[in-house]
Amino acid sequence: MTTWTSNLDQFLRDQDEAERMGVIAAAYILVNSVKRALKGGYTSGAFVTGHVINSVTRSAPFREGMGWSIKVGTNLDYALFWEIGHHNVFTRKYERVEKWRPAFMDSRPEMVAAYARTWERAMAKWRAN
């Protein structure tokens, strides 16, 4: 008689870790995409100090609903003002320059690919021979 032992618990733990690592990989793609978009500043580039670029960060992965999530953002209010728009006291006009949303939309395929590569690498030991 043959004894069979289930590996389901270990498989589920490994899959959970693979998903967590996948969202981290995708977040790094977005962080780098936003930083590239911000390289020239919001308008002329005359006032680029690197402060906004250096403030682009990601959170630690966290569980949300049925899977993992991660936040990418900044703690600088003036980056938000440029993204959603503001009345500029120097130019005396309403100004809005989106950098984050276009960076997200443009990098989606690369984020999906990074997630898939990372997940596949983490789950490779479960591949059937």
Side-chain angles (χ1 to χ4, degrees):
M1 179 178 258
T2 304
T3 304
W4 182 79
T5 304
S6 173
N7 292 336
L8 182 60
D9 288 339
Q10 184 61 47
F11 175 82
L12 293 174
R13 282 192 298 274
D14 289 350
Q15 183 173 336
D16 191 57
E17 179 63 12
E19 290 173 3
R20 189 187 71 78
M21 290 169 32
V23 296
I24 292 170
Y28 277 122
I29 299 295
L30 180 56
V31 165
N32 291 333
S33 180
V34 170
K35 286 182 176 186
R36 278 192 304 275
L38 291 170
K39 200 168 206 150
Y42 278 103
T43 55
S44 68
F47 300 102
V48 175
T49 63
H51 192 117
V52 176
I53 293 170
N54 293 332
S55 75
V56 178
T57 59
R58 69 163 181 89
S59 71
F62 57 93
R63 282 217 157 273
E64 185 173 65
M66 295 292 292
W68 288 95
S69 294
I70 201 163
K71 293 180 182 180
V72 173
T74 179
N75 61 350
L76 300 178
D77 291 339
Y78 63 87
L80 175 65
F81 300 151
W82 279 106
E83 294 293 324
I84 64 173
H86 67 286
H87 184 81
N88 192 308
V89 296
F90 301 108
T91 63
R92 296 190 176 141
K93 62 182 180 178
Y94 181 81
E95 297 196 43
R96 178 181 183 190
V97 182
E98 286 185 293
K99 300 284 185 166
W100 292 68
R101 188 182 58 81
F104 173 77
M105 297 305 288
D106 293 344
S107 64
R108 282 182 68 197
E110 194 178 349
M111 287 189 293
V112 170
Y115 178 94
R117 275 191 315 273
T118 304
W119 188 91
E120 178 65 31
R121 208 169 19 249
M123 295 300 288
K125 71 179 183 182
W126 293 98
R127 188 177 302 127
N129 293 329

